[in-house]
Amino acid sequence: MSIFARLFGTQTDPREQWRPLWHTIVEQAREPDWYRMCGVADTVEGRFDMITLVLSLVMLRMEGEEELAPHTALVTELFVEDMEGQLREAGIGDPTVGKKIGKLMSSMGGRLGTYRAALADEDRAALAEALKRNVTMAQEDEAHALAERMMRLHKRLERTETEQLRAGKIAA
């Protein structure tokens, strides 16, 4: 959307329909059990890793449905917008923000591919190994617990109806 359209309200931002889902992704990533029961480090890095993990699961769910697949870019844009704001809030200046966002997106893409393969095969051991490489762990021996919890969230997302997902609701 152009700056003119945003300033004068001539168009609605297409990302706004996905903001409830983005908020749910962040809420899911902040659930204390990821950190308490699954060994994820309760640090800035660990929290970023959890956001990318939950976002990856949502993206995989969206990719699997023809109606949702084109909208993955809009959800990704919300991720980028949020991460950019976090970087600026942390004091990172304009010349560096773009490079950092590029690295974050590259990291996200690599994780998405790794998780996609392990989840498709329901290979818990491969998933645990991928998590050890991609998630900042306070306790690496909990990677299998993290893989199990991730697999459960993946299955919940698979059961989630399209409109529920759009509204930021995940099936029980």
Side-chain angles (χ1 to χ4, degrees):
M1 176 185 319
S2 73
I3 290 175
F4 180 79
R6 275 189 256 163
L7 287 174
F8 296 103
T10 57
Q11 290 181 329
T12 59
D13 187 339
R15 297 176 302 176
E16 288 308 309
Q17 68 179 316
W18 297 101
R19 198 163 298 276
L21 177 59
W22 173 248
H23 290 301
T24 297
I25 290 167
V26 173
E27 287 170 16
Q28 287 288 318
R30 288 181 176 166
E31 282 190 9
D33 283 350
W34 293 115
Y35 308 93
R36 243 188 333 229
M37 308 298 287
C38 299
V40 176
D42 194 1
T43 61
V44 171
E45 294 83 7
R47 287 179 178 264
F48 168 77
D49 294 337
M50 287 311 305
I51 288 173
T52 59
L53 184 148
V54 176
L55 178 59
S56 294
L57 292 175
V58 169
M59 300 300 265
L60 292 171
R61 165 64 177 84
M62 291 176 74
E63 285 176 358
E65 190 167 330
E66 190 175 329
E67 180 185 338
L68 294 175
H71 300 283
T72 59
L74 298 173
V75 177
T76 302
E77 287 176 19
L78 291 171
F79 167 73
V80 169
E81 175 186 274
D82 197 349
M83 292 303 111
E84 182 178 340
Q86 296 293 326
L87 289 170
R88 290 183 190 284
E89 197 173 290
I92 302 196
D94 282 339
T96 327
V97 168
K99 289 180 186 176
K100 293 241 185 235
I101 293 293
K103 286 181 183 178
L104 293 176
M105 291 309 296
S106 175
S107 168
M108 176 70 191
R111 292 172 193 208
L112 187 59
T114 301
Y115 299 155
R116 180 184 294 117
L119 289 165
D121 296 338
E122 292 193 23
D123 187 341
R124 286 163 170 77
L127 188 56
E129 286 304 311
L131 292 168
K132 284 181 188 177
R133 288 190 309 273
N134 291 298
V135 176
T136 306
M137 302 289 290
Q139 299 171 24
E140 273 195 27
D141 60 332
E142 296 292 337
H144 289 281
L146 179 57
E148 284 299 321
R149 185 174 166 94
M150 182 181 180
M151 189 73 71
R152 284 194 306 272
L153 180 56
H154 175 64
K155 289 186 181 299
R156 285 178 53 212
L157 284 162
E158 286 180 336
R159 292 191 307 268
T160 303
E161 298 292 327
T162 301
E163 288 311 310
Q164 282 182 293
L165 193 66
R166 186 184 304 267
K169 309 276 189 244
I170 299 175

